[in-house]
Amino acid sequence: MDQGLIPRRYAKALYGFASDKGVTERVYVLMKNLEASFAELPDLQKALANPFVNGDDKTQLLFTASQASKADSVFADFVKLLIHNRRVDDVRQIALAYLKIYREERNIHVVHVESAAPLAPDEEKRLRRLVERHIGDDAMEFTTGVDPSLIGGFTISVDNERLDASISNELRQLRQNLISK
């Protein structure tokens, strides 16, 4: 996902500031929490974009959504800057850009496995080993999910690569082959 020029610049500045203060990992955790809150609560973006919600309330929303504490001074300064520059609407895109910068700096791959039914522990372990062989010595953030529309099988996404070994994909390809003849 392309975050845009302005969010990338803010994220890069935040990363540099956090790096200077030695808290890049803590800010990473806060940004992951913030992104998860946006994904879970679509109204969060509406509240932050609302001009009738004052800056203190927006600050509190962001602290709650990111699970930040008063000790997270780098995050607090960042939020103050966003509110002062009227860029709080861009905070989700900035968080995504920060996550991307952090992962690139540390060679962390985002891996997501989607299956038609929950994976058994041994199947998950086997898929994890398969991905580890593919990415080499780099680190990974491994998550799983369930999507019944796959009918059977699974999909694996590693960063921008995708392997689709689902029954629904096989049926789609079979249908395409039949139509093209």
Side-chain angles (χ1 to χ4, degrees):
M1 175 185 278
D2 184 21
Q3 287 83 31
L5 181 62
I6 291 172
R8 276 196 308 264
R9 285 185 177 169
Y10 274 87
K12 192 173 181 181
L14 175 61
Y15 186 83
F17 184 54
S19 183
D20 291 345
K21 299 291 185 180
V23 294
T24 54
E25 187 172 348
R26 175 64 183 159
V27 174
Y28 178 71
V29 169
L30 296 175
M31 292 297 153
K32 278 179 66 172
N33 293 342
L34 190 59
E35 171 50 27
S37 293
F38 275 108
E40 191 175 314
L41 306 165
D43 289 340
L44 179 58
Q45 183 66 42
K46 292 177 187 172
L48 292 172
N50 188 335
F52 296 108
V53 176
N54 68 38
D56 290 340
D57 290 339
K58 289 179 181 184
T59 299
Q60 188 58 46
L61 276 172
L62 290 172
F63 266 75
T64 302
S66 66
Q67 301 173 13
S69 69
K70 292 180 181 180
D72 293 312
S73 61
V74 169
F75 185 75
D77 291 344
F78 167 67
V79 171
K80 284 180 198 172
L81 178 71
L82 292 180
I83 289 173
H84 180 265
N85 291 350
R86 296 188 173 119
R87 290 290 180 190
V88 75
D89 295 7
D90 296 326
V91 72
R92 184 177 192 183
Q93 297 303 318
I94 294 168
L96 289 169
Y98 184 92
L99 295 174
K100 184 177 180 182
I101 291 168
Y102 183 90
R103 289 172 180 146
E104 286 173 353
E105 288 292 319
R106 288 171 175 68
N107 295 322
I108 299 172
H109 298 277
V110 177
V111 178
H112 183 73
V113 176
E114 199 84 38
S115 59
L119 292 172
D122 59 325
E123 292 173 325
E124 184 178 325
K125 192 184 294 185
R126 189 169 47 95
L127 287 173
R128 187 183 290 259
R129 281 195 305 260
L130 176 74
V131 173
E132 285 173 346
R133 275 185 277 164
H134 177 70
I135 63 173
D137 292 334
D138 293 347
M140 71 173 160
E141 291 179 0
F142 190 91
T143 59
T144 61
V146 175
D147 181 4
S149 71
L150 295 176
I151 303 170
F154 58 88
T155 62
I156 298 178
S157 300
V158 179
D159 298 326
N160 293 329
E161 295 178 50
R162 184 165 185 214
L163 168 69
D164 193 338
S166 67
I167 302 275
S168 63
N169 183 51
E170 294 291 326
L171 290 172
R172 190 172 32 257
Q173 288 179 359
L174 181 62
R175 182 174 183 264
Q176 293 265 325
N177 288 340
L178 291 173
I179 290 172
S180 66
K181 289 183 179 184

